Amino acid sequence: MTSRPGTPRPAIAARLDLSPHPEGGWYRRTWASPVDVTLADGRMRPTATMILFLLPAGEASAWHRVASDEIWVAQLGAVRLQLGGTGDRPGDGETLVVGLDLEAGQRPQAVVPAGTWQRTVPSAADALVTCTVSPGFDFDDFELDRG
């Protein structure tokens, strides 16, 4: 289940001033590089951007992809991140668990290459991550699977 606008804001989202994200979960941009880069098509983006992303227990995000590399860094709990390839529609791919329990095989960081379909799946506990996107994130470069 993805979070939707109008869903009551979880306490941790309120404390961190997070808003509903269109893909599901809650987010807030916390940083954008003051240095811009020109993309191949002539558009400008910050060289990198960063958000806090909360996925409350039992929630998931929809399949989506962005036009830049995305680095996930665990802060609290663990996120099960599914990758779905780079085709027209998401397919079967690797599942990564981004979290801080190294003994359980979790990894504290994961990179999702530009153009790769990704989604998160529900877990039993809240998860908080930092996501850094380079070149910087812009919703013009964000695609939800409308499948």
Side-chain angles (χ1 to χ4, degrees):
M1 153 176 161
T2 59
S3 62
R4 307 208 191 302
T7 301
R9 191 193 298 194
I12 192 168
R15 260 181 273 144
L16 295 172
D17 193 27
L18 307 180
S19 299
H21 197 292
E23 76 192 40
W26 300 80
Y27 83 106
R28 179 171 55 89
R29 180 180 279 189
T30 57
W31 177 77
S33 172
V35 177
D36 286 337
V37 63
T38 304
L39 303 179
D41 63 8
R43 295 178 298 152
M44 301 289 288
R45 295 283 183 271
T47 55
T49 56
M50 188 180 330
I51 66 167
L52 284 173
F53 180 72
L54 171 69
L55 195 65
E59 289 191 18
S61 71
W63 281 110
H64 65 283
R65 61 181 169 181
V66 297
S68 299
D69 292 338
E70 183 171 4
I71 302 117
W72 292 63
V73 180
Q75 304 292 318
L76 172 73
V79 171
R80 292 180 49 84
L81 180 62
Q82 286 186 319
L83 305 181
T86 58
D88 290 340
R89 296 286 315 283
D92 293 332
E94 184 178 12
T95 298
L96 310 172
V97 181
V98 182
L100 300 173
D101 188 350
L102 304 181
E103 296 299 318
Q106 297 174 4
R107 54 177 67 187
Q109 301 177 353
V111 176
V112 178
T116 300
W117 290 102
Q118 59 179 299
R119 71 175 177 177
T120 58
V121 296
S123 67
D126 292 347
L128 180 69
V129 296
T130 293
C131 293
T132 301
V133 175
S134 180
F137 179 83
D138 188 293
F139 276 104
D140 287 344
D141 301 327
F142 175 79
E143 180 181 1
L144 274 173
D145 178 45
R146 305 279 181 202

